[in-house]
Short mmCIF file of all heavy atoms in Angstrom, two decimals:
data_model
loop_
_atom_site.label_atom_id
_atom_site.label_comp_id
_atom_site.label_asym_id
_atom_site.label_seq_id
_atom_site.Cartn_x
_atom_site.Cartn_y
_atom_site.Cartn_z
N LEU A 130 27.40 153.17 3.99
CA LEU A 130 26.93 152.09 3.14
C LEU A 130 26.19 151.12 4.06
O LEU A 130 26.81 150.46 4.89
CB LEU A 130 28.15 151.42 2.50
CG LEU A 130 27.95 150.31 1.50
CD1 LEU A 130 27.11 150.78 0.33
CD2 LEU A 130 29.31 149.84 1.00
N GLY A 131 24.87 151.12 3.98
CA GLY A 131 24.10 150.29 4.90
C GLY A 131 22.61 150.47 4.75
O GLY A 131 22.13 150.70 3.64
N PRO A 132 21.88 150.39 5.86
CA PRO A 132 20.42 150.32 5.78
C PRO A 132 19.73 151.55 5.20
O PRO A 132 18.61 151.46 4.72
CB PRO A 132 19.99 150.07 7.23
CG PRO A 132 21.13 150.49 8.07
CD PRO A 132 22.36 150.31 7.23
N GLY A 133 20.37 152.71 5.25
CA GLY A 133 19.78 153.90 4.65
C GLY A 133 18.75 154.59 5.51
O GLY A 133 17.95 155.38 5.02
N GLU A 134 18.75 154.33 6.79
CA GLU A 134 17.83 155.00 7.70
C GLU A 134 18.51 155.10 9.06
O GLU A 134 19.50 154.44 9.33
CB GLU A 134 16.51 154.25 7.82
CG GLU A 134 16.68 152.83 8.25
CD GLU A 134 15.39 152.03 8.19
OE1 GLU A 134 14.54 152.33 7.33
OE2 GLU A 134 15.25 151.12 9.01
N GLY A 135 17.99 155.96 9.91
CA GLY A 135 18.52 156.08 11.26
C GLY A 135 19.60 157.14 11.38
O GLY A 135 19.81 157.97 10.50
N GLU A 136 20.27 157.10 12.52
CA GLU A 136 21.24 158.14 12.87
C GLU A 136 22.43 158.18 11.92
O GLU A 136 22.95 159.25 11.62
CB GLU A 136 21.73 157.93 14.29
CG GLU A 136 20.69 158.25 15.35
CD GLU A 136 21.25 158.07 16.74
OE1 GLU A 136 22.25 158.74 17.07
OE2 GLU A 136 20.70 157.24 17.49
N LEU A 137 22.91 157.02 11.48
CA LEU A 137 24.07 157.01 10.59
C LEU A 137 23.77 157.77 9.30
O LEU A 137 24.58 158.55 8.83
CB LEU A 137 24.50 155.57 10.28
CG LEU A 137 25.70 155.44 9.34
CD1 LEU A 137 26.92 156.18 9.90
CD2 LEU A 137 26.03 153.97 9.10
N THR A 138 22.60 157.57 8.75
CA THR A 138 22.21 158.28 7.53
C THR A 138 22.16 159.77 7.78
O THR A 138 22.59 160.57 6.93
CB THR A 138 20.84 157.77 7.04
OG1 THR A 138 20.96 156.37 6.78
CG2 THR A 138 20.41 158.47 5.77
N ALA A 139 21.70 160.18 8.94
CA ALA A 139 21.63 161.60 9.27
C ALA A 139 23.03 162.21 9.42
O ALA A 139 23.23 163.38 9.09
CB ALA A 139 20.83 161.81 10.55
N LEU A 140 23.99 161.42 9.87
CA LEU A 140 25.36 161.92 10.05
C LEU A 140 26.16 161.97 8.74
O LEU A 140 27.10 162.74 8.62
CB LEU A 140 26.12 161.03 11.04
CG LEU A 140 25.72 161.11 12.50
CD1 LEU A 140 26.43 160.00 13.29
CD2 LEU A 140 26.07 162.48 13.06
N ALA A 141 25.79 161.12 7.80
CA ALA A 141 26.60 160.95 6.59
C ALA A 141 26.41 162.09 5.60
O ALA A 141 25.31 162.63 5.44
CB ALA A 141 26.25 159.62 5.93
N HIS A 142 27.50 162.42 4.93
CA HIS A 142 27.44 163.38 3.82
C HIS A 142 26.85 162.72 2.58
O HIS A 142 26.21 163.36 1.77
CB HIS A 142 28.84 163.92 3.50
CG HIS A 142 29.40 164.76 4.60
ND1 HIS A 142 30.24 164.24 5.56
CD2 HIS A 142 29.25 166.07 4.89
CE1 HIS A 142 30.58 165.21 6.40
NE2 HIS A 142 30.00 166.32 6.01
N GLU A 143 27.11 161.42 2.44
CA GLU A 143 26.58 160.65 1.30
C GLU A 143 26.26 159.25 1.80
O GLU A 143 27.04 158.65 2.55
CB GLU A 143 27.63 160.59 0.19
CG GLU A 143 27.17 159.91 -1.07
CD GLU A 143 26.22 160.77 -1.91
OE1 GLU A 143 26.25 162.00 -1.78
OE2 GLU A 143 25.47 160.19 -2.70
N THR A 144 25.11 158.71 1.37
CA THR A 144 24.68 157.39 1.79
C THR A 144 24.27 156.56 0.59
O THR A 144 23.64 157.07 -0.33
CB THR A 144 23.46 157.50 2.73
OG1 THR A 144 23.82 158.26 3.88
CG2 THR A 144 22.97 156.14 3.18
N LEU A 145 24.64 155.30 0.61
CA LEU A 145 24.11 154.33 -0.35
C LEU A 145 23.31 153.33 0.46
O LEU A 145 23.86 152.55 1.25
CB LEU A 145 25.22 153.64 -1.13
CG LEU A 145 24.76 152.57 -2.13
CD1 LEU A 145 23.75 153.13 -3.13
CD2 LEU A 145 25.95 151.98 -2.86
N ALA A 146 22.00 153.39 0.31
CA ALA A 146 21.11 152.55 1.10
C ALA A 146 21.04 151.14 0.55
O ALA A 146 20.84 150.93 -0.65
CB ALA A 146 19.71 153.17 1.13
N VAL A 147 21.22 150.16 1.44
CA VAL A 147 21.06 148.74 1.12
C VAL A 147 20.13 148.17 2.19
O VAL A 147 20.56 147.50 3.12
CB VAL A 147 22.41 148.00 1.11
CG1 VAL A 147 22.22 146.58 0.60
CG2 VAL A 147 23.46 148.73 0.30
N PRO A 148 18.82 148.47 2.07
CA PRO A 148 17.89 148.02 3.11
C PRO A 148 17.70 146.51 3.12
O PRO A 148 17.90 145.84 2.11
CB PRO A 148 16.58 148.74 2.76
CG PRO A 148 16.72 149.16 1.34
CD PRO A 148 18.18 149.22 1.01
N ASP A 149 17.32 145.98 4.28
CA ASP A 149 16.98 144.56 4.38
C ASP A 149 15.88 144.25 3.38
O ASP A 149 14.96 145.03 3.19
CB ASP A 149 16.48 144.22 5.79
CG ASP A 149 17.62 144.05 6.77
OD1 ASP A 149 18.76 143.83 6.32
OD2 ASP A 149 17.37 144.16 7.99
N GLY A 150 16.00 143.11 2.73
CA GLY A 150 14.97 142.69 1.79
C GLY A 150 15.15 143.24 0.38
O GLY A 150 14.35 142.94 -0.49
N SER A 151 16.19 144.04 0.14
CA SER A 151 16.41 144.53 -1.22
C SER A 151 16.98 143.40 -2.06
O SER A 151 17.45 142.39 -1.55
CB SER A 151 17.32 145.75 -1.23
OG SER A 151 18.60 145.42 -0.75
N GLU A 152 16.94 143.56 -3.39
CA GLU A 152 17.38 142.47 -4.28
C GLU A 152 18.88 142.18 -4.18
O GLU A 152 19.32 141.11 -4.56
CB GLU A 152 16.97 142.74 -5.73
CG GLU A 152 17.43 144.07 -6.30
CD GLU A 152 16.48 145.23 -6.01
OE1 GLU A 152 15.38 145.01 -5.51
OE2 GLU A 152 16.87 146.36 -6.28
N LEU A 153 19.66 143.13 -3.67
CA LEU A 153 21.09 142.90 -3.47
C LEU A 153 21.42 142.99 -1.98
O LEU A 153 20.84 143.80 -1.26
CB LEU A 153 21.91 143.94 -4.22
CG LEU A 153 21.81 143.94 -5.74
CD1 LEU A 153 22.71 145.01 -6.33
CD2 LEU A 153 22.16 142.58 -6.31
N ASP A 154 22.37 142.18 -1.54
CA ASP A 154 22.79 142.28 -0.15
C ASP A 154 23.99 143.22 -0.04
O ASP A 154 24.56 143.66 -1.04
CB ASP A 154 23.11 140.89 0.42
CG ASP A 154 24.28 140.20 -0.28
OD1 ASP A 154 24.90 140.79 -1.18
OD2 ASP A 154 24.57 139.06 0.09
N LEU A 155 24.36 143.53 1.18
CA LEU A 155 25.44 144.49 1.44
C LEU A 155 26.75 144.04 0.82
O LEU A 155 27.49 144.85 0.26
CB LEU A 155 25.58 144.71 2.95
CG LEU A 155 26.59 145.76 3.40
CD1 LEU A 155 26.27 147.13 2.83
CD2 LEU A 155 26.64 145.82 4.92
N ASP A 156 27.07 142.76 0.89
CA ASP A 156 28.33 142.26 0.33
C ASP A 156 28.39 142.45 -1.19
O ASP A 156 29.41 142.86 -1.74
CB ASP A 156 28.55 140.79 0.68
CG ASP A 156 28.87 140.60 2.15
OD1 ASP A 156 29.42 141.53 2.77
OD2 ASP A 156 28.56 139.53 2.69
N THR A 157 27.30 142.18 -1.88
CA THR A 157 27.27 142.35 -3.33
C THR A 157 27.42 143.81 -3.71
O THR A 157 28.17 144.16 -4.63
CB THR A 157 25.97 141.78 -3.92
OG1 THR A 157 25.86 140.40 -3.54
CG2 THR A 157 25.93 141.89 -5.42
N VAL A 158 26.74 144.69 -2.99
CA VAL A 158 26.85 146.13 -3.27
C VAL A 158 28.27 146.61 -3.04
O VAL A 158 28.79 147.45 -3.77
CB VAL A 158 25.82 146.91 -2.42
CG1 VAL A 158 26.04 148.41 -2.54
CG2 VAL A 158 24.40 146.55 -2.86
N GLN A 159 28.95 146.05 -2.04
CA GLN A 159 30.34 146.43 -1.79
C GLN A 159 31.23 146.09 -2.98
O GLN A 159 32.14 146.85 -3.32
CB GLN A 159 30.86 145.74 -0.53
CG GLN A 159 30.25 146.29 0.74
CD GLN A 159 30.73 145.55 1.97
OE1 GLN A 159 31.83 145.02 2.01
NE2 GLN A 159 29.89 145.51 2.99
#
Side-chain angles (χ1 to χ4, degrees):
L130 184 58
E134 57 187 31
E136 289 182 59
L137 180 57
T138 300
L140 288 171
H142 293 95
E143 185 75 24
T144 300
L145 178 56
V147 187
D149 280 341
S151 64
E152 54 274 352
L153 296 181
D154 63 3
L155 184 59
D156 289 332
T157 303
V158 172
Q159 289 177 30

